[in-house]
Amino acid sequence: MARPKIALIGAGQIGGTLAHLAAVKELGDVVMFDIAEGTPQGKALDIAESGPSAKFDGSFKGTNDYADIAGADVCIVTAGVPRKPGMSRDDLLGINLKVMKSVGEGIAAHAPNAFVICITNPLDAMVWALREFSGLPHEKVCGMAGVLDSARFRHFLAEEFNVSMRDVSAFVLGGHGDTMVPLTRYSTVAGIPLPDLVAMGWTTQDKLDAIVQRTRDGGAEIVGLLKTGSAFYAPATSAIEMAEAYLKDQKRLLPCAANVDGAYGLKNTYVGVPTIIGAGGIERVVEIKMNKDEQAMFDKSVDAVKGLVDACKGIDNSLS
Ligand code: A3D
């Protein structure tokens, strides 16, 4: 059977890391597309040249021509601009919306059967716009945010409890912004929910609240340290986890920005929810029960996403 084809739209910090991870995991042949001439070609060649030492097989191509993504099974989109210190994700909206239009048209023309994972910020509005511009089925277009936000939450929790990250599972839902919703009741260490761990004296409610806030500010913390761009190792790793779930039909239950139509009382809204990812793309949106406080946080987050989607409609008349 031929190797799957993975198209990376955007060959910057995340794009390059995605290509390297896909190579090392032998997920398939990789095509990197970017408008910057030389960048995708240089990164693809550099990664290919690491193959003999790292011992992977695959073909790696850099391109400035959408025709080269033809027939891709997966497209991961990072094209656009990242944040600089002092910027919010929402500040990127105007620039990145135009980028989503060209990317959506490129994917529709050359890789209409792909499973598309958007990473470009502001995430929930950009994945919505990318779906609109591409016209692909909703279940084949999603956004990466929840896996990353949950991974950050899991890392902070594992440090606090001094346990393996493998035994910490966590849920972060809602939009990928300051209003994201880390759900402590659904987050556990080997099945023991966080509120029980507070009662057991493993941590205090104040410390847990601080970890929740650090999770919400996780992206800004890295932007503040790097000063020239935003996080890329963990975002790329998270998107590769989603791509692998699709390519290997793993039926993983992963939080991601998916089109929610019916569940959570929402109608055609892209926002972070638990989903099942398998060969059908987003095969299921999982509706969990939230208490009053959680529901209020989720509603606030959905409102923030709706505000950004309305702003997109105000900028581009073709979006209705
Ligand atoms: P960066 O290293 O600047 O790479 C972006 C690449 O996009 C550059 O190589 C550009 O040349 C290219 N590009 C710009 N316009 C186009 C276009 N029209 N077509 C094709 N390529 C184009 O950024 P990055 O890789 O660090 O980040 C990429 C995006 O991911 C940004 O919008 C970030 O804000 C976002 N991001 C999202 C998360 C989430 O968790 C959702 C996390 C981190 C970064």
Side-chain angles (χ1 to χ4, degrees), residues 12-14 34-35 78-82 96 99 119 121 144 148 176 231:
Q13 294 281 57
I14 302 178
D34 202 291
I35 48 166
T78 59
V81 290
N96 286 349
V99 176
I119 306 184
N121 272 320
M144 186 293 296
L148 171 64
H176 180 61

Side-chain angles (χ1 to χ4, degrees), residues 209-279:
D209 291 345
I211 287 174
V212 165
Q213 194 52 43
R214 191 175 177 197
T215 303
R216 287 204 178 100
D217 298 337
E221 184 176 357
I222 303 233
V223 171
L225 290 167
L226 293 179
K227 296 182 184 70
T228 52
S230 51
F232 51 100
Y233 293 115
T237 309
S238 304
I240 288 290
E241 195 174 2
M242 292 165 64
E244 194 169 12
Y246 172 74
L247 288 169
K248 299 184 178 170
D249 191 21
Q250 287 172 334
K251 317 278 186 209
R252 295 283 313 274
L253 200 164
L254 297 170
C256 69
N259 183 57
V260 186
D261 193 20
Y264 296 99
L266 297 174
K267 208 175 160 353
N268 268 324
T269 306
Y270 267 93
V271 70
V273 286
T275 63
I276 304 284
I277 301 182

Side-chain angles (χ1 to χ4, degrees), residues 94-108:
I95 307 169
N96 286 349
L97 183 64
K98 284 201 193 93
V99 176
M100 289 307 100
K101 189 174 173 69
S102 62
V103 174
E105 289 166 359
I107 292 175

